[in-house]
Amino acid sequence: MSRLSKVELFDGVQLPCAELQRPSNQEEESKTLLVFGHGLSGQAFGDPFPTDDGTGMLEAALAAFAAREPPMRSASIPRVVVYDARGHGASENWQQGGFAQHHWRSLAVDMLQVAAAHRQDGAAAVLGGCSMGAATALWASLLCPGAVRGLVLFKVPSIRELRDGRRQQLVNRAEKNRASNPALADRDLGAAKADVPELTEFAVVKIPVLLACAKDDPVHPAGTAEALKAHLPNVTLVMTETTDELYQAFQEALSLWLEALPSP
C-alpha cells in the first residue's frame, strides 16, 4: 500500500486515504481510477485489519489480475484508492456534524471529493464500494454523473421497502448508545435514515455497472440487486448462492468488466 495521505473536505472533515500498489510487472500506466468505500462500522486501514469486503479483497484482486492467464491488459488494471469514511477509522473533525452527514447522499459528496483529489487530467472515475460504500457510489452517480464513468457495487445494502427491518435495528442501536457515545449514535441514526431515491430515477445512470451479491446474505439481500438491475440500463449482475462463493466470482467478473469498460 502506498503512503497514507489525507483529503480535507469542504466542511473541514479529514479522511485518510491511500492508493493501493499496482502489481510491479505492469508496464503500462492505468487510465482508470477506482475509488472504493467500505461498509458501516468498517474502515480501510488500521487494526483490526480490514475485512475481505474492502482493502484486503481489492489487494487480492490486483494481485490476481497480474497473474491471470491470459494476462490482463496493464491499462485495464485500475489505480485503486481506499479511504476511511467520515465517522469511521481515523477520520477527523466529524463528531459535531450531526446525523445527516452520515446519510448515503452526504457520503456521496465525500466520495466525489476523494475522487477529485486523486484523478489525473480531469478524467472521470469509477466509484464503488461494499454495503454503505456501494450505496454511497450509487448516490454519487446521480449527484454528479459527469464525474463517474462506472460503478462497482459489492453487496449493496437493503433499500426502499426492503430496508424497514434494518432501519429499526440501527435506530435501536443509536438509542442504546446515545448517552455513552452521541457521535457514534448519530452515525447509526444517519445510516438508519439513509436510503436511495425512487428507483425510476436510476434510468438516467447509463454508465456500466457491476453488481455483486449473494443469496444467503440478509443484510445485503439479493432483492436489492435485482431491483437495481431492473432500473439501471447497463448492468452486469453477479449473484451466487453463498457469500463464500461471491468473492472469487466477483474477482473474476471485475477483471472482465474492467477490460470491457469504455475508454475515458
Side-chain angles (χ1 to χ4, degrees), residues 11 16 38 45 64 76 100 102 104 116 157 172 206 218 223 226 254 260 263:
D11 60 354
H38 59 74
F45 320 103
S76 297
H102 302 292
W104 299 333
N172 293 344
K206 301 185 185 300
E226 290 170 335
L254 179 60
S263 300

Side-chain angles (χ1 to χ4, degrees), residues 28-173:
E28 190 175 356
E29 184 176 353
S30 177
K31 300 183 183 302
T32 300
L33 169 65
L34 169 59
V35 176
F36 198 89
H38 59 74
L40 180 65
S41 302
Q43 58 186 36
F45 320 103
D47 188 19
F49 188 75
T51 70
D52 285 342
D53 295 341
T55 304
M57 177 181 71
L58 294 170
E59 288 179 327
L62 288 173
F65 293 165
R68 200 191 72 178
E69 290 294 340
M72 187 172 176
R73 297 196 314 271
S74 296
S76 297
I77 298 178
R79 298 168 48 227
V80 178
V81 170
V82 294
Y83 66 100
D84 282 342
R86 69 169 67 220
H88 296 77
S91 60
E92 300 176 20
N93 304 333
W94 59 273
Q95 287 82 353
Q96 305 302 317
F99 69 85
Q101 66 178 321
H102 302 292
H103 191 291
W104 299 333
R105 179 180 57 242
S106 301
L107 297 177
V109 178
D110 297 350
M111 180 178 278
L112 288 164
Q113 290 178 76
V114 172
H118 290 87
R119 67 183 183 176
Q120 297 175 342
D121 302 323
V126 175
L127 302 182
C130 173
S131 192
M132 178 186 79
T136 298
L138 265 173
W139 264 108
S141 71
L142 287 174
L143 295 177
C144 198
V148 187
R149 59 182 287 231
L151 294 173
V152 177
L153 309 177
F154 185 75
K155 302 201 316 189
V156 183
S158 53
I159 58 174
R160 310 299 298 175
E161 66 273 6
L162 297 174
R163 192 159 178 78
D164 291 344
R166 177 60 172 163
R167 181 176 291 110
Q168 191 58 54
Q169 290 177 352
L170 291 167
V171 168
N172 293 344
R173 193 165 80 182

Side-chain angles (χ1 to χ4, degrees), residues 36 50-58 60-62 64-65 130-131 154-155 210 212-214 216-217 220 238-255:
F36 198 89
T51 70
D52 285 342
D53 295 341
T55 304
M57 177 181 71
L58 294 170
L62 288 173
F65 293 165
C130 173
S131 192
F154 185 75
K155 302 201 316 189
L210 177 62
C213 68
D216 68 346
D217 186 344
H220 311 95
V238 178
M239 184 182 299
T240 59
E241 292 294 328
T242 68
T243 301
D244 287 343
E245 296 172 306
L246 181 60
Y247 294 100
Q248 183 63 36
F250 171 71
Q251 187 179 102
E252 294 172 356
L254 179 60
S255 68

